[in-house]
């Protein structure tokens, strides 16, 4: 709900009333002009918080319009989705690290297949078309993606958030693990970027706290989207915070480089 103290007061008056109220009655209880109340009542009706109806007429004249709070919990209160996500992630973090990481990746793959906008029937899934669809998906999700060329830094700068975090690739979870994937020859064709730079992370707080799960989830999402598109390329790894303000997803022609399977080798 719009954070208006007056509008909140109108809603509370209606909620406390034993029966539906008209504009004049509501204004009297608040000590304000009826036009002020009418304005806020119209807004509350538009926000689906209040219902407007005409009372059955008991005599001549137009029936009286009354207002009542829509049944159900107030949807204008605070939300705690970040806390909810932390609570759910805590279950994974207490499980076997390798199993939790693989489950996170597979969850990402399933959602990537579901979320991506598929190509029209009979349109050949070229690398360029597939990357275009992938970039659109990542943009819709808030990652602010942009194609990038060349090799990305292999280690995160010490000043970057989550510095020292491993690449979400063919490595095992936890400290002391390293990537064993091969970035491969790079692009599937000359118009396809070797990497996608991600300038924003919509899961930033969670990635900083639980990168061993969130980053594989994100890599899986990219892989699942490309798989759903039947693309001739895949994502081989994700470099979290490869630069202080960016992560990088590495792309390679499908089958040209080992794709992350959730396994790894200890250093």
């Amino acid at each position: 709900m719009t954070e208006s103290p007056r509008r909140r007061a109108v809603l509370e008056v209606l909620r406390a009333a034993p029966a539906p109220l008209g504009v004049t009655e509501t204004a009297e209880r608040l000590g304000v002009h009826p036009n002020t109340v009418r304005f806020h009542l119209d807004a509350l009706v538009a926000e689906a918080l209040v219902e407007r109806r005409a009372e059955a007429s008991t005599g001549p004249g137009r029936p009286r319009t009354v207002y009542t709070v829509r049944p159900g919990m107030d949807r204008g209160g605070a939300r705690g989705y970040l806390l909810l996500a932390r609570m759910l992630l805590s279950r994974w973090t207490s499980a076997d690290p390798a199993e939790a990481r693989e489950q996170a990746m597979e969850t990402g793959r399933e959602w990537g297949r579901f979320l991506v906008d598929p190509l029209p029937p009979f349109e050949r899934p070229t690398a360029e078309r597939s990357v275009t669809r992938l970039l659109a998906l990542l943009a819709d999700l808030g990652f602010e993606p942009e194609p990038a060329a060349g090799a990305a830094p292999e280690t995160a700068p010490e000043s970057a958030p989550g510095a020292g975090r491993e690449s979400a690739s063919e490595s095992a979870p936890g400290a002391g693990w390293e990537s064993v994937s091969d970035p491969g020859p790079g692009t599937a064709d000359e118009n396809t970027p070797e990497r996608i730079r991600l300038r924003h992370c919509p899961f930033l707080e969670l990635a900083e706290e639980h990168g061993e799960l969130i980053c594989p989830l994100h890599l899986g999402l990219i892989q699942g989207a490309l798989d759903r598109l039947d693309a001739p390329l895949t994502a081989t790894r994700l470099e979290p915070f490869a630069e202080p303000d960016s992560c990088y997803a590495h792309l390679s022609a499908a089958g040209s480089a080992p794709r992350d399977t959730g396994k790894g080798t200890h250093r």
Side-chain angles (χ1 to χ4, degrees), residues 4-18:
S4 164
R6 180 69 71 194
R7 197 163 302 166
R8 173 68 65 178
V10 171
L11 187 63
E12 291 303 322
V13 165
L14 294 177
R15 185 173 284 125

Side-chain angles (χ1 to χ4, degrees), residues 25-111:
E25 295 167 299
T26 306
E28 289 174 350
R29 299 189 184 199
L30 288 170
V32 298
H33 194 277
N35 285 345
T36 301
V37 168
R38 184 176 287 106
F39 169 77
H40 289 294
L41 285 171
D42 288 344
L44 290 168
V45 170
E47 293 173 6
L49 295 173
V50 166
E51 293 178 343
R52 178 197 291 123
R53 62 181 174 84
E55 278 190 335
S57 179
T58 58
R62 290 166 48 181
R64 190 170 72 111
T65 300
V66 294
Y67 299 83
T68 185
V69 174
R70 184 181 291 271
M73 189 171 291
D74 180 11
R75 295 184 175 273
R79 297 290 190 268
Y81 294 127
L82 182 58
L83 174 59
L84 174 61
R86 285 174 171 148
M87 293 168 67
L88 295 173
L89 280 171
S90 68
R91 180 69 177 178
W92 262 346
T93 57
S94 65
D96 175 72
E99 181 180 351
R101 183 175 182 278
E102 178 54 35
Q103 289 180 358
M105 288 196 68
E106 188 54 38
T107 298
R109 291 182 188 121
E110 290 295 332
W111 275 97

Side-chain angles (χ1 to χ4, degrees), residues 98-242:
E99 181 180 351
R101 183 175 182 278
E102 178 54 35
Q103 289 180 358
M105 288 196 68
E106 188 54 38
T107 298
R109 291 182 188 121
E110 290 295 332
W111 275 97
R113 296 183 187 105
F114 172 74
L115 291 172
V116 73
D117 186 14
L119 293 169
F122 311 114
E123 183 170 314
R124 188 166 63 92
T126 64
E128 187 175 1
R129 289 169 179 164
S130 300
V131 169
T132 297
R133 293 295 170 113
L134 176 62
L135 291 173
L137 170 62
L138 294 174
D140 286 345
L141 295 177
F143 286 100
E144 296 186 15
E146 60 183 26
E154 290 301 316
T155 57
E158 288 299 318
S159 60
R165 182 172 296 142
E166 63 176 278
S167 169
S169 61
E170 194 72 45
S171 56
W177 297 76
E178 62 181 358
S179 170
V180 297
S181 67
D182 179 359
T187 61
D189 63 55
E190 62 181 8
N191 296 319
T192 307
E194 296 179 3
R195 301 174 296 137
I196 295 176
R197 182 187 182 197
L198 305 164
R199 296 177 291 111
H200 180 259
C201 179
F203 316 131
L204 182 59
E205 293 81 5
L206 297 174
E208 290 173 336
E209 295 175 19
H210 302 291
E212 74 281 3
L213 294 174
I214 299 302
C215 296
L217 180 82
H218 182 199
L219 176 62
L221 187 145
I222 296 173
Q223 291 176 346
L226 292 172
D227 180 64
R228 175 67 177 85
L229 294 168
D230 199 22
L233 73 165
T234 187
T236 55
R237 60 196 176 105
L238 179 73
E239 284 189 85
F241 307 110

Side-chain angles (χ1 to χ4, degrees), residues 233-259:
L233 73 165
T234 187
T236 55
R237 60 196 176 105
L238 179 73
E239 284 189 85
F241 307 110
E243 296 175 358
D245 61 349
S246 302
C247 301
Y248 282 91
H250 289 248
L251 305 179
S252 179
S256 66
R259 195 180 79 167

